[in-house]
Amino acid sequence: MDEQTKTCVTCKYFCRHYTRRGKRMFIPLAIGHCGNPRLREKKVDTLACQRYVEVVEEGDGMIERRGVVWERPR
């Protein structure tokens, strides 16, 4: 991945925030926080820092973030 596309949203340590709509629907927000170190607020388009580690994507559309495997958002 080139330097221009390295943003927080593609980092392994980025934890995106969501808002809840109804009982089972969650809407992703354009903010989150960094898990390395914790509690630094970030926006999805913030340029990557020196701690950046690219998200590992499996062949089946699943991604791993901080030891948890998620389905890639569509």
Side-chain angles (χ1 to χ4, degrees), residues 8 14 17 31-34 37-43 46:
C8 286
F14 181 72
H17 294 180
I31 59 171
H33 66 271
C34 179
R38 303 190 82 180
L39 303 176
R40 290 188 304 143
E41 287 193 18
K42 298 288 183 176
K43 293 186 178 184
T46 303

Side-chain angles (χ1 to χ4, degrees), residues 17-29:
H17 294 180
Y18 291 82
T19 187
R20 187 171 164 179
R21 292 278 169 95
K23 290 188 177 186
R24 297 181 185 216
M25 191 163 139
F26 291 88
I27 309 297
L29 300 176

